[in-house]
Structure formats: structure tokens, C-alpha cells
Amino acid sequence: MRIAEIPSPSQSQSQSQSQSQSQSQQQQSNSQFRFHLFNPILLQIETLIKKAELFSSVSAADHPLSPAIPDDLRHSLTHLAQFTPFPNSTKLHIWKLSYRLWNACVDLSNTSAARRSSTDHANLRHVASDLLYLAGDVTGVPSPAVKFASFYYKTGLIWHGLKNFELASSCFERASDIVSKIDLTSVVDSDAKKLLLDLNIARARTAWQVSDKNLAMVLLSRAKGLMFGSPEHYKALGDEYLSFGKIELSKGETQAFREALKLMNEAFDLFEKGLRVARGREDMVEFKALRSKTLRFISAVHLQVEEFESVIKCVRILRDGDCGDNHPSLPVLALKAWLGLGRHGEAEKELRGMIENKGIPESAWVSAVETYFEAVGGAGAETAMGVFMGLLGRCHVSAGAAVRVAYKVVGHGGEVSEVRARVAAKLVSDERVLTLFRGETTAKQRKAMHTLLWNCAADHFRSKGYVISAEMFEKSMLYIPYDIENRNLRAKGFRVLCLCYLGLSQLDRAQEYVNEAEKLEPSIACAFLKFKISLLKNDNTTAINQIQSMMSCLDFTPDFLSLSAHEAVACRAFPVAVASLNSLLDFYSTGKSMPAREVVVFRTLVTILTQESNDDSEILRVLKRACDRAVELGPGCFFGEAEVGKREQKWFSVACWNFGTKMGRERKFELCSEFMHLASKFYAALADEEQVEEHNVLVFRSLTLTVAATIASEEQTKTTLTNAKIKQAKELLDRAGKIMKLSSTENQVNNEEIHRQEAENFFIYTVTAYDIHGRLNDTVSQQQLVKSFASSKVCNSKYLLQIGLYALQGPRFNQEVANFALKECLSAQLSSPSPDYQTVALVFRKLVGITSINKGEGDDEAVYEMYQRAYRIMVGLKEGEYPLEEGKWLAMTAWNRASVPVRMGQCEMAKKWMDLGMEIARHVGGMETYSSCMEEFVNGFQNKFSMQTE
């Protein structure tokens, strides 16, 4: 507000004239001299004020105030202060300049440019206040001190608004110093009285802002003495106490609550006193409203410090007092207090009473419902729903309020309650509630309600509460609009409902939901759910077909094949798992990013196939495929590097070996041969510097057993090996032979078990190689093989006997090999400390047979020598030590060999064989009778032979 310029009263002029006349001529001269000194400063100040007035004009409204003007004015004011005191005329001139500057500030405050330079504007007002204060009292101006204080007070308010509390405090303190010299009893102007009060309040407010609360309280207490019986003063001071109380209340600290209660009690007392001094009806109504407001805040403070009885008392006073307060906050305060006292019945009455009070705003009863739920929990779900439904019929309820109530009914913070969820489902599915969410204006609230119900359903789903979870998911879909934009969201809802009914094993209903989802949004998720349903129905054929459907989806990734395999294994649907993994393996050649390493998929596939019977051929196919991929990619790339790769290679090698030995035990020799051949390949790839000997032995055994199984398969199937297979077998044996030679030179370990295994491996290799070379009619190689075996350290009589017997059998008969092997066997037995005479006897029988064939019946000296060797071995043995049957055979066959010479008249030859047979019979237990007969016949034959010669 602009301030009128001060006129020059005639009384003031006459007094100044009389005073000037009474002054001496010397004083007049001094005054004129000083006037000539500070007059340029005044002119300069006036020039600057004119510039400020120019900026405040309408034409310059868009130009901000120059910061140089306040600075220059402050500089000029500093110089002017050196010439105080001033004559009355100069003071009056300065007052006018101050008022002109102040009015310019008022005009500046109304322009946008001034608002952009608020600090400069405040500086300008501060200069105007200092200029007026510098001039001092002027004769003829009433209450100059009040005017000084008013300028500083208004300037301080501006600095306070700019949050420059230091300058604001400085202005207020200057004003306080000025008014402190005023006699309060002489103040009669109401504006001056109000200034005194406002000044103390303003100083208190500034002190509060700089955290000097003690000073603020002192100033407010000092202000109580400045009421002057004015209702307006009581109201102003009471408002300030209430304002400070609110600030303390908002801090949320126990100590702050105590301070807030003191401040609000002060405010309440001031409003009570103001009500007593008020005379106007409007003032009385206003004070009653302020008193009720303060009492509500007091009850809120009591509630914060859990003084619930005090809250109830305050509410009763407010309701039953002279004003009959029915503020919407009272039921909420009362409800919280009753809940704090544990009286839930009273709290429920307050909650239900809100239905009758149409004036309670939505935020108030929603807050009450939330508080009631926090205290009562799930037991109050029905009550809250009843209150909400009652409010729907009596007042306007927003969708946001429905969301907040549903949020409290459902529960939060990880709490899962089926009772609360069912109440919430009933609440949100009511047609009146659904009506609140119709229209575009409630899209945000509708989305919030859908999210709330969805999260609740998800919590129950994770807790395996599939029934309530399905119900909540269905209710959440009520808040999804039927439009194009929300098709995906609806499809998602149908898919999770499918999962719920899968958990309940209601497969047909799950099928219905996934079909609906597929209509809205065909996707890999729908295809996979159909696949899972087929698995649970044990329909493996449909499940396998569904795998192909999944791969045709646009959003298909190979990860779903891996997941399908896991699901199939969990359902023990091994054919489906095999189909999934086979399909997954087809993607590795494309170079796409895959969910697992290819070798892991192969290993898993083989493991699954072992769970099924009669899948040996399929296992062989998978292992061959893995071997081919290892060759194609390289062992390092396929199996992996370092120890991981070695473990994978070893697993496949051992798997092939185990399957090969299993097929051998089951006499499936063709499959055995294939598995052993694969094992040799995997073991060959596994060889490294540290375990080269061990792996070479395994490769050697695998190759040898491959050929052995091939030969056994030929005998089993009654077929003949083709030339190609014979050639392949020879190549495998050649490889085995090279490894055998390398192992025999490197292996120096003195271990009985290792030597036994080496002997067994060498024997099998020798027999199989003998067979293959026999098919190629390579008798020389056969003899070399047997001789090589016989000369090795691992050779023993048992293996030599088997080789000899094998050489005598079948189409690959080789008399030389048999003769050599049996003789070596005989030598080994006879050189042993404890010969096995059963084996010795068998060898003699076979050697007799071979010698007979080799020498012929006519030349039997070699045969006779064999019998003689046998007889010499029998001599000295205990009875029964040499096998009786073999001894009898030797005796009888030796005796019978004399029959031909007898018929041929070769008496000497006949007598030689008969004597040998008789001698052998004498060393065989149980042939005494035969021996007597033989001796009698020999004597008779000898007499006859003697008579013929005479």
C-alpha cells in the first residue's frame, strides 16, 4: 500500500521560524556550511529514487530493477549518516524522500520484473526504512516511532518471506528497539497496538525458523501482555501457538509430541479468552471453531502418545459441547482410541456410525477402515465390507477408495489369509463396486485393483492354495477391459487359471482355459501348457505331437524343449523326453544360443534311454551320433576343456563299455561289437600324457572284444562274415597289436591283478587274431601269433591248452599250431612244482592223436614215444594222482595198437606195444585183472612166437 506524502503544516513553519530567529548568527552560518556539504548527497539520493520510480512505472514494467540502485542508495546513505543531526527542514525532506522510495517499492512489487528481482526489491525497502530512521523525529509528525517500526516490520516480513532470516531478525530487532521506548499506556491507536503484537509474533516466528525455540517462546509469552482486550489479538497469538504446535506434531517424535501438546494448550486458552472478550456474533462463532479445531489437534496429540482415555474425553467434549462439533475426524479419532484401549466393539460402532454421517469425506472413512483392519486383522473383514457397502448406498464413493479398502481386506506384507481373500473376492465382484470402475476416467484405479487382486492370487498360488488362487485370478479378470489393448492381459489371466487347475488336477478345465488363452494370443506358453496337460493325461502320442506344435510357434526358443524334457522325466514319460531331446539336438548345428551344452543333452538322453527296456539299438544310435559330433567339432569343443571335458569323455567311454559288456552277457553279440567299437573311439580320444598307459589298455581291450563279439555273432546267427568285415576286423586287430606292443614295453608295474588282466587281454587278442588270419589262410601269421604269445611273460599253460584245442576245432584247423601249443602247455605243466595231471593227461591224449595223424598208422615210432613219455610220468606217482580214466585209456590204446602188427605178423612190434600197455596197466589202479589177462596173453603170444621161429 502506498503511503501519503507528509504535508508541511503551518504550525510547524511558525515554530521553525521562531526557533531560527532565536538562534544566533553563528549557528546560522554553521548550518549553511553543513547544508552545502550534505545537499549534494541528498540530490544524489533523490536522483536514484527517481530512477527507482522510473522502473516502477508502467512503461518499464518488463525491465527488472537494476541491482546498482539499492547499492548506490546504501552508499549515499552511509555518507549522509556522517552529518546527523539534521535541521527540521532537512529531516522533513528526507522523510519525503523515504516515502517516495517506499511508494516506488510498492509499485515495483506489483510488476513481474520486481518478482524476478525480489532480493533487490527487499534491499530497496530496507534502504527506505534506514533513510526514514536516519532522519529521526520531525516536528509536527505524530507517532514517528510507530512509523519507523512499521517500515522495519514490513521490510522484515519481506526478508522472512525470502528466507533471509538474519536480515529479517535484524529488521524486527530494530523495530523492537524503537517501540521499546514507547509508553504502552499512551498508545491509543488500534493499528499501533496491533503493530506491537505483530512485531513480537514476527520475531518469534523468525527465531523458530533459526531453531532458537527458547527465544520464540519468550517472545510469544511477552506478546500475551499486548492483548489490549482485543479479540483479534487473541486470535493472532492463538494461531501462532497452534501453528508451532502443528510443526512439532508433524515431527513424529515423542518429545515433540509433548511440546506440541503444551503449545496447543496455550492456543486453546487464548481462544477461550478471546471467546470471552468477543462481542460480535461472527467473532464468537470463529473462536468456537478455532477452539474445536485446537481441541481436535490436542486429541490427535494424545492419540500419538497413546493416551487413549484423553482422546475419548476430548471427543466427548467436542460432541457434547456448546458447539456440538460433528467434524469428520472425530469418528476416526474415537475409533483409533477405542482400538488402542482394546475395545473393538466400541470401535466397530464408530465405524458403522460413519454410514449415517453423510458429511464424512471419503478419505476419513477409508482411513478409519484401514486403521480398523490393522488392529482387528482378518476378523474385521466382514465388518469392513459391510461398512463399505453401506457407504456405497449413501454417498459418492470413488474407485480409489474401493482400491484402498480392498487392499486392507486382502492384506499385505506377505500375509496370506484365505478368509480375507474370500471376503475380498465377494467385495470386488459386487456389481455396485464394479460400476465404480467403469469409464476411461478410472483406468488407473482399475489397473491398481487388477494388480492388487493378481498379487493376492499369486501369493496364494505360491502357497499352493490353488482353489482360492483360481478364484482371485478370476476376480482380477473382471477389471480387465474387453478391448484390443488388453487381449494379452486377458490371455495371461487364462494361462494362470490353467496353471491353477493343473495344480488341482482338473485337467479338462485347465484345457478349456488354455484353449481360451490360445484364441486370444497364440504363443509358446499356450503350446507348452497343452503339452503339460497331455503329459498329465498320460497321452504320450499327443504330447510328442505337441512338441512339433511348439516348434512352429513364432516365439519358440530351444529352452522350451529342454523344459519339456524335464517335465516328461518328472512324469516318467520317457518316450516324450527322448523326443524332446532329439528335437533339441537338431538345433545345435544351426549355431543358435542353446540352454545347455550339446554333450550334456547327449548324456541326458542316454541316461533316459537306459530307463526304458528294449532300447539298446536307440542307445547305440545316440552314442554313434555323439561320437560323430565329437569328430565333427573336435573333442575340446564338444566335450569341453580341462577336467570338465575329461569327465565327459570318460562318461561316454565307460557308458559304451558297460553297454558292450551288458550286451555280451545277454548274448547280443552284434550290439556288443558295435558298443565296444564306440568305446575304443571314445577311449582313444581320452588318452593323455598322465594316463596314456591306462587308456591304451582300454583301447586295446575294446578293439579286441569288438572283433571277438563279431566272431561270436557269426556263430550265433549261423552266417559267414563278409570280406569287408574280415578286412575291418584285421585292421582293428592290427591297431590292437601295435598298442599291445607299446604297452608291453612300457608297463613295468609289478602288480598281480594287472598281469592277470594283461594275460587275459593277450589271450583274447591271440585267439581272435588267429581266427581272422585263418580266414585269410595266413598260417604263418597264425604260428607267429601263438609263438609270440607262448614267449611272453603273461603266457600260462591254461591259455596254451585253450589255443591248442581251438586250433584243433572248426574249419580253421592248424595241426602245427595245435602241436606247438599243446607241447608248450605240456612243458609248462611238467616244469611246474605241482602239475595238473588232468591237464597233462588231456594234452597227452591230444598229442597222441595229432602224432598219429601226422605220422600215419604205419610209422608209429613217434606215437610210441608219446606213450613212453606218458608212462615215464606215471611212474612214481601215487595211486589216483594220474587220472584213472586217462591211465586206462593209455593202457588200452597202447595194447590195442598191437593188433595190427599181430595181424601183419610183426611179432616184435606187436610184443613192444603189448609190453607197453601191460606196463602202463600195472601203474593204473583198478586194472589188476586186465594186467593178469595181458600178462597171460603176452606169455602165450611169446611161446607161440618162439615155436614159429624154431
Side-chain angles (χ1 to χ4, degrees):
M1 184 180 72
R2 292 174 61 90
I3 301 174
E5 294 186 2
I6 302 173
S8 299
S10 57
Q11 184 180 357
S12 174
Q13 292 178 1
S14 60
Q15 289 178 353
S16 59
Q17 288 176 2
S18 60
Q19 289 174 359
S20 59
Q21 288 176 1
S22 61
Q23 290 175 350
S24 63
Q25 189 65 33
Q26 184 63 33
Q27 289 177 337
Q28 290 180 358
S29 300
N30 291 337
S31 297
Q32 290 177 357
F33 176 73
R34 290 176 66 250
F35 177 77
H36 287 295
L37 290 176
F38 63 73
N39 188 51
I41 300 175
L42 290 175
L43 293 175
Q44 185 180 6
I45 290 174
E46 187 173 2
T47 302
L48 292 171
I49 291 174
K50 288 181 179 179
K51 289 184 180 180
E53 290 173 337
L54 181 63
F55 275 103
S56 66
S57 64
V58 177
S59 60
D62 293 331
H63 298 282
L65 178 67
S66 174
I69 294 177
D71 294 340
D72 292 343
L73 281 171
R74 175 66 62 187
H75 182 71
S76 299
L77 189 61
T78 302
H79 286 291
L80 184 63
Q82 299 174 4
F83 300 100
T84 56
F86 303 107
N88 192 65
S89 59
T90 303
K91 289 181 180 181
L92 185 61
H93 182 60
I94 295 174
W95 270 62
K96 290 181 179 180
L97 292 176
S98 174
Y99 270 69
R100 284 177 59 188
L101 182 57
W102 187 268
N103 290 334
C105 290
V106 173
D107 293 335
L108 280 170
S109 65
N110 296 325
T111 64
S112 59
R115 287 191 288 271
R116 293 196 299 267
S117 56
S118 300
T119 303
D120 295 332
H121 170 237
N123 277 321
L124 208 59
R125 283 187 181 255
H126 206 155
V127 171
S129 302
D130 288 340
L131 187 61
L132 187 66
Y133 182 71
L134 181 65
D137 295 345
V138 178
T139 303
V141 177
S143 304
V146 174
K147 291 182 172 55
F148 300 154
S150 176
F151 269 41
Y152 278 114
Y153 168 71
K154 293 176 182 179
T155 304
L157 291 178
I158 294 174
W159 282 123
H160 187 93
L162 295 173
K163 299 188 182 305
N164 193 329
F165 302 119
E166 183 178 356
L167 289 178
S169 179
S170 174
C171 290
F172 294 145
E173 288 173 0
R174 176 67 62 86
S176 297
D177 288 339
I178 294 171
V179 299
S180 64
K181 302 172 184 179
I182 300 176
D183 183 8
L184 296 181
T185 58
S186 63
V187 178
V188 295
D189 184 42
S190 60
D191 292 338
K193 293 179 180 179
K194 186 65 167 58
L195 175 63
L196 297 176
L197 176 67
D198 290 343
L199 191 56
N200 278 276
I201 293 175
R203 283 189 66 192
R205 192 180 299 123
T206 303
W208 189 278
Q209 290 291 343
V210 296
S211 301
D212 192 352
K213 294 183 181 179
N214 292 330
L215 176 60
M217 298 311 300
V218 169
L219 291 169
L220 288 181
S221 298
R222 189 182 299 171
K224 292 180 183 179
L226 302 173
M227 297 295 100
F228 301 111
S230 170
E232 185 180 359
H233 290 199
Y234 282 106
K235 178 180 178 299
L237 187 57
D239 284 340
E240 199 62 32
Y241 271 109
L242 182 60
S243 175
F244 288 164
K246 290 179 183 179
I247 294 172
E248 289 296 302
L249 179 61
S250 65
K251 292 180 179 179
E253 301 172 359
T254 303
Q255 185 60 36
F257 292 149
R258 301 296 179 190
E259 293 296 328
L261 191 59
K262 292 179 182 178
L263 291 166
M264 289 178 181
N265 281 328
E266 291 286 351
F268 185 80
D269 290 340
L270 286 167
F271 292 142
E272 280 280 358
K273 293 176 181 178
L275 180 60
R276 287 196 293 268
V277 301
R279 295 293 178 265
R281 185 173 180 278
E282 292 182 359
D283 290 340
M284 296 177 67
V285 170
E286 184 178 12
F287 273 110
K288 287 181 180 181
L290 288 171
R291 185 184 61 178
S292 297
K293 178 181 178 181
T294 306
L295 194 56
R296 289 196 298 271
F297 275 108
I298 290 173
S299 62
V301 176
H302 283 302
L303 188 65
Q304 292 294 333
V305 296
E306 299 183 356
E307 295 175 352
F308 303 116
E309 291 287 355
S310 298
V311 177
I312 297 299
K313 290 179 181 179
C314 290
V315 171
R316 285 174 178 169
I317 292 172
L318 287 167
R319 285 175 172 173
D320 302 336
D322 53 1
C323 59
D325 194 356
N326 196 24
H327 194 272
S329 65
L330 295 184
V332 180
L333 290 169
L335 180 139
K336 291 181 178 181
W338 289 125
L339 290 175
L341 293 170
R343 298 173 64 175
H344 295 168
E346 297 292 338
E348 184 175 342
K349 289 180 183 179
E350 292 287 347
L351 189 61
R352 293 189 179 278
M354 294 182 182
I355 300 175
E356 306 299 328
N357 191 345
K358 295 183 179 181
I360 295 178
E362 180 182 284
S363 59
W365 62 258
V366 171
S367 175
V369 170
E370 291 174 339
T371 305
Y372 183 77
F373 251 111
E374 289 174 1
V376 181
E382 290 287 351
T383 300
M385 190 184 73
V387 170
F388 182 75
M389 291 302 179
L391 289 166
L392 277 176
R394 297 187 59 83
C395 60
H396 173 73
V397 177
S398 69
V403 173
R404 290 177 63 182
V405 173
Y407 177 75
K408 284 297 178 181
V409 173
V410 166
H412 55 91
E415 179 183 3
V416 178
S417 170
E418 185 173 343
V419 175
R420 297 178 72 157
R422 292 194 183 281
V423 174
K426 185 177 179 181
L427 171 69
V428 300
S429 60
D430 189 278
E431 186 60 33
R432 291 171 294 176
V433 177
L434 291 172
T435 304
L436 300 176
F437 292 87
R438 289 173 184 162
E440 294 298 327
T441 56
T442 59
K444 183 179 179 180
Q445 290 77 12
R446 186 167 54 244
K447 183 178 179 180
M449 180 66 85
H450 172 266
T451 303
L452 172 64
L453 299 176
W454 182 280
N455 291 339
C456 175
D459 290 337
H460 285 281
F461 185 87
R462 284 189 286 270
S463 302
K464 300 188 183 302
Y466 299 123
V467 175
I468 187 63
S469 176
E471 183 177 358
M472 294 304 291
F473 277 126
E474 288 174 353
K475 301 310 179 189
S476 72
M477 293 187 68
L478 296 174
Y479 294 88
I480 303 176
Y482 288 85
D483 52 23
I484 299 295
E485 292 77 6
N486 290 282
R487 284 171 63 93
N488 295 345
L489 195 57
R490 293 188 64 79
K492 183 179 179 182
F494 283 126
R495 288 197 295 270
V496 296
L497 283 169
C498 172
L499 289 174
C500 291
Y501 287 105
L502 280 176
L504 295 170
S505 298
Q506 298 182 20
L507 304 182
D508 291 335
R509 192 153 184 195
Q511 184 79 50
E512 293 175 5
Y513 278 116
V514 75
N515 289 339
E516 291 298 322
E518 192 171 38
K519 291 177 184 177
L520 292 170
E521 183 188 27
S523 64
I524 184 61
C526 294
F528 180 77
L529 287 174
K530 284 188 170 183
F531 167 80
K532 186 171 178 64
I533 292 171
S534 300
L535 283 180
L536 295 175
K537 288 182 176 180
N538 295 321
D539 188 353
N540 290 351
T541 303
T542 304
I544 292 173
N545 293 335
Q546 193 61 36
I547 292 173
Q548 301 301 319
S549 300
M550 284 195 293
M551 290 191 290
S552 64
C553 294
L554 296 176
D555 54 344
F556 167 79
T557 61
D559 301 74
F560 280 93
L561 290 175
S562 177
L563 184 59
S564 300
H566 284 290
E567 291 290 339
V569 170
C571 295
R572 307 291 295 176
F574 296 122
V576 181
V578 170
S580 297
L581 293 177
N582 278 325
S583 299
L584 180 61
L585 287 172
D586 293 337
F587 285 91
Y588 280 92
S589 58
T590 61
K592 293 182 179 179
S593 175
M594 302 300 289
R597 292 189 301 123
E598 187 174 8
V599 68
V600 175
V601 179
F602 272 113
R603 173 160 48 81
T604 306
L605 182 55
V606 172
T607 304
I608 293 172
L609 287 171
T610 57
Q611 306 297 318
E612 289 284 296
S613 58
N614 302 322
D615 268 352
D616 300 325
S617 299
E618 181 65 15
I619 293 172
L620 177 63
R621 185 191 67 80
V622 173
L623 288 172
K624 279 185 175 180
R625 185 177 179 184
C627 185
D628 293 340
R629 286 292 289 169
V631 172
E632 179 183 348
L633 299 176
C637 183
F638 180 74
F639 293 109
E641 301 294 341
E643 291 300 321
V644 175
K646 290 179 182 179
R647 285 197 297 268
E648 293 289 357
Q649 286 179 277
K650 188 173 183 179
W651 189 92
F652 279 91
S653 303
V654 173
C656 291
W657 176 269
N658 290 340
F659 283 120
T661 55
K662 178 174 178 282
M663 295 299 101
R665 287 193 298 270
E666 296 175 1
R667 301 187 63 79
K668 298 177 182 179
F669 297 119
E670 185 176 358
L671 288 174
C672 175
S673 175
E674 295 284 356
F675 279 118
M676 286 300 177
H677 193 190
L678 279 177
S680 68
K681 293 181 179 180
F682 282 118
Y683 278 126
L686 189 60
D688 55 28
E689 295 180 359
E690 297 179 358
Q691 298 177 315
V692 61
E693 177 61 26
E694 178 185 349
H695 295 150
N696 281 341
V697 171
L698 293 171
V699 174
F700 172 77
R701 292 182 68 185
S702 302
L703 292 171
T704 304
L705 290 175
T706 299
V707 179
T710 302
I711 296 171
S713 175
E714 177 194 38
E715 295 175 359
Q716 186 181 51
T717 58
K718 306 299 182 183
T719 58
T720 304
L721 291 179
T722 62
N723 293 332
K725 286 191 175 181
I726 294 172
K727 183 179 179 181
Q728 182 186 16
K730 184 178 181 302
E731 291 174 354
L732 295 177
L733 289 171
D734 290 342
R735 284 180 57 200
K738 293 177 181 179
I739 295 173
M740 181 188 66
K741 291 178 182 179
L742 183 63
S743 296
S744 62
T745 58
E746 292 181 354
N747 189 11
Q748 304 295 331
V749 180
N750 295 323
N751 187 299
E752 183 178 349
E753 179 63 23
I754 293 177
H755 282 297
R756 187 190 66 77
Q757 291 181 359
E758 286 184 358
E760 183 180 346
N761 294 340
F762 201 175
F763 168 72
I764 296 173
Y765 167 76
T766 302
V767 173
T768 53
Y770 172 85
D771 183 280
I772 296 300
H773 284 294
R775 295 170 189 270
L776 298 173
N777 298 320
D778 189 356
T779 57
V780 176
S781 296
Q782 287 180 314
Q783 293 176 12
Q784 290 176 350
L785 282 168
V786 176
K787 289 179 180 179
S788 176
F789 178 75
S791 63
S792 67
K793 295 179 181 180
V794 299
C795 178
N796 59 50
S797 59
K798 179 181 69 173
Y799 291 138
L800 288 170
L801 175 61
Q802 293 185 48
I803 292 173
L805 296 177
Y806 187 73
L808 293 173
Q809 298 172 358
R812 260 72 67 187
F813 174 78
N814 191 322
Q815 183 177 324
E816 292 79 4
V817 171
N819 188 45
F820 173 78
L822 292 172
K823 285 183 178 180
E824 289 293 322
C825 175
L826 183 61
S827 300
Q829 282 291 334
L830 294 176
S831 62
S832 173
S834 55
D836 181 4
Y837 289 105
Q838 183 71 43
T839 300
V840 171
L842 177 60
V843 171
F844 270 120
R845 180 185 289 216
K846 295 299 181 180
L847 284 174
V848 168
I850 293 172
T851 307
S852 298
I853 295 172
N854 190 34
K855 301 299 181 179
E857 296 294 337
D859 185 8
D860 58 357
E861 283 299 324
V863 179
Y864 182 79
E865 180 61 29
M866 281 294 171
Y867 278 94
Q868 281 284 74
R869 288 186 66 186
Y871 169 71
R872 287 192 292 270
I873 291 170
M874 293 175 65
V875 173
L877 294 178
K878 296 178 183 180
E879 184 178 352
E881 192 170 0
Y882 194 90
L884 294 178
E885 292 299 324
E886 292 296 329
K888 290 179 181 181
W889 181 85
L890 284 171
M892 297 301 291
T893 54
W895 179 269
N896 290 337
R897 281 182 178 276
S899 62
V900 174
V902 169
R903 288 195 299 269
M904 298 295 293
Q906 299 174 355
C907 296
E908 291 292 334
M909 180 65 70
K911 186 176 183 303
K912 182 176 67 171
W913 281 110
M914 285 188 287
D915 289 340
L916 180 59
M918 186 173 59
E919 290 297 326
I920 293 173
R922 287 174 182 168
H923 290 82
V924 179
M927 291 192 72
E928 291 82 4
T929 304
Y930 288 99
S931 296
S932 300
C933 293
M934 287 178 180
E935 187 176 354
E936 184 179 348
F937 182 82
V938 168
N939 290 333
F941 177 78
Q942 190 172 2
N943 292 332
K944 184 179 178 181
F945 177 71
S946 299
M947 290 175 60
Q948 289 178 355
T949 55
E950 291 178 355

